[in-house]
Amino acid sequence: MDNQARLIINGGKRLEGEICVQGSKNSALPLLSASVLVHGESTFHNCPKLSDIDASCRILACLGCKCKRSGDTVTVDAGQISEYEIPDCLMRRMRGSVIFLGSVLGRTGRCRLSFPGGCEIGSRPIDLHLSALRQMGAVITEEHGYLDCETPAGLHGAKITLSFSSVGATENILLAAVLANGVTEIHNAAREPEIVDLADCLNKFGAKISGAGESTIYIEGVQRLEPNEHTVIPDRIVAGTYMCAAAITRGELILTHCEPSHMNGFIPVLEQMGVRVYPYGGGKIYLNSRKRLAAPSTVRTMPYPGFPTDVQAPFTALCSTAEGTSVFVETIFENRFRHVSELVRLGASVKVEGNVCVIEGVKKLSGAKLCASELRGGAALVVAGLAAEGVTEITGVNYIERGYETIENELRSIGADIKKVQLV
Ligand code: UD1
């Protein structure tokens, strides 16, 4: 992981050009976990080159899988699974590793992992995951910071109602239910496109899942999954971040390889601010933003199809120079405004109280030294730095690289003056 680097941005350049959107990290991670359920080789195309994906491949290797990458394609051979424990260092490295719980349990009947602690954006408990797996027959012991999960009588179908439509819990239940005995129902399931992608992929591999993308998902357990291949959906959050980057510089952008229908939660907010957005066929979006933007009406982060919490930070950066007062209410994570104090260094006028962030748009930002402390908040600093006059230096690049494939190259290709340098 690159924690000795910084991004240097000479801001104020209008962005103009075309970016091909990378595959979705949040889809690729559960898909790699799904490969554990397959007796043989799974092939995933459009797999982004990110440190979090590397961490997943390392987990797969620890479990006994053979994992190799060729360009954007990752192949996992899970013919032989020899382990059921995920090493503590990998759990710590990526909190999302908990997504392996359902698949390892489903395949081997046992899984041991260290308890995922809090992270940069909030406490992120996994009580919903554990309660669902217990309803499916798992016996889970929590001791000395470890979770030991066993299935003395195998996993069985269950009728599970989530008190919150958690993305990770829905994914873990899906993964555990695919090879379980009988039918599992998930009520109040998450409806994110990444859930649909996971279900589509599992069905290709031989699973029997219906209702993904709706609030009730039905999974009829099957005996085994067979080798197949799948293409990861485009990353809607990365697409949204680049749209904010172009918009804040009053630029013009064509995004290719994206899925406009996945972005209905935030495109209307851009339009309301005065950005012109035209989705057109073949997975493309054209955007232009010629004048100073206006603050949108209050934005509340919500589960899909609402405004995604993951683009909240880039949008707050965008609103820092919009005319008027913008208000963001963060309803998903409790600690997702950590980037705000850094935006203030650039001259933004932003106040946070609890889960509400109020931004008084300023006419201009000016470059400063900033520190990224989490993934999307880090991307927001890049967005703001692109608009700031003078030089902005961002450390904590390793956080940004968890989710953005060579962000500096993408932005440079559309006219940004940005480079990555190593600290000496
Ligand atoms: C996933 C995404 C993340 C995104 C989030 C919400 C991945 C790898 N990450 O995270 O980028 O921001 O969805 O769209 O796909 N909760 C509980 N108990 C649980 C599970 C969740 O209280 O057992 C709470 C969380 O603390 C949080 C909220 O529910 O406040 C949403 O979490 P969840 O939907 O599970 O998000 P993740 O799957 O962790």
Side-chain angles (χ1 to χ4, degrees), residues 25-27 29-30 52 95-96 121-130 164-169 171 190 192 194 236-237 302-304 308-310 331-334 336 375-376:
K25 167 182 84 79
N26 286 356
S27 250
L29 295 176
D52 274 13
R95 212 200 148 282
I121 59 173
S123 61
R124 300 183 90 170
I126 55 162
D127 53 316
L128 302 175
H129 305 232
L130 301 185
F164 177 83
S165 56
S166 153
V167 175
E171 289 166 347
E192 269 69 2
E194 294 76 22
R236 61 197 168 101
I237 306 304
M302 297 295 272
Y304 192 83
T309 174
D310 284 349
T331 74
I332 311 288
F333 289 106
E334 69 262 34
R336 229 174 178 181
L375 165 55
R376 307 299 170 189

Side-chain angles (χ1 to χ4, degrees), residues 290-301:
R290 294 200 182 280
K291 53 181 192 324
R292 186 172 181 205
L293 299 175
S297 45
T298 302
V299 176
R300 296 174 69 86
T301 62

Side-chain angles (χ1 to χ4, degrees), residues 27 30-31 34 170-172 174-175 193-203 209 230:
S27 250
L31 290 171
T170 303
E171 289 166 347
N172 250 335
L174 269 172
L175 292 163
E194 294 76 22
I195 302 285
V196 178
D197 200 30
L198 176 61
D200 284 349
C201 169
L202 287 166
N203 281 341
I209 302 168
H230 183 76

Side-chain angles (χ1 to χ4, degrees), residues 118-190:
C119 75
E120 312 91 36
I121 59 173
S123 61
R124 300 183 90 170
I126 55 162
D127 53 316
L128 302 175
H129 305 232
L130 301 185
S131 150
L133 293 172
R134 283 186 171 117
Q135 289 172 65
M136 297 175 71
V139 175
I140 306 174
T141 346
E142 301 170 39
E143 239 175 25
H144 310 299
Y146 270 85
L147 285 168
D148 216 326
C149 313
E150 289 181 87
T151 56
L155 287 172
H156 55 74
K159 197 168 166 178
I160 294 157
T161 301
L162 293 173
S163 56
F164 177 83
S165 56
S166 153
V167 175
T170 303
E171 289 166 347
N172 250 335
I173 301 166
L174 269 172
L175 292 163
V178 162
L179 299 181
N181 262 325
V183 176
T184 300
E185 292 179 19
I186 315 175
H187 295 270
N188 196 26

Side-chain angles (χ1 to χ4, degrees), residues 236-248 266 269-270 273 293 299 301 307-322 328 330 336-337 339-340 343 359 365 374-387 400 404 407:
R236 61 197 168 101
I237 306 304
V238 168
T241 305
Y242 289 139
M243 289 167 92
C244 289
I248 201 170
F266 59 84
V269 177
L270 286 170
M273 293 178 74
L293 299 175
V299 176
T301 62
F307 185 91
T309 174
D310 284 349
V311 288
Q312 174 261 103
F315 268 75
T316 51
L318 177 62
C319 289
S320 66
T321 58
F328 286 78
E330 173 57 60
R336 229 174 178 181
F337 288 130
H339 60 289
V340 163
L343 292 180
I359 305 160
L365 301 173
E374 49 97 4
L375 165 55
R376 307 299 170 189
L381 304 186
V382 174
V383 168
L386 291 167
I400 301 171
Y404 296 83
I407 193 169

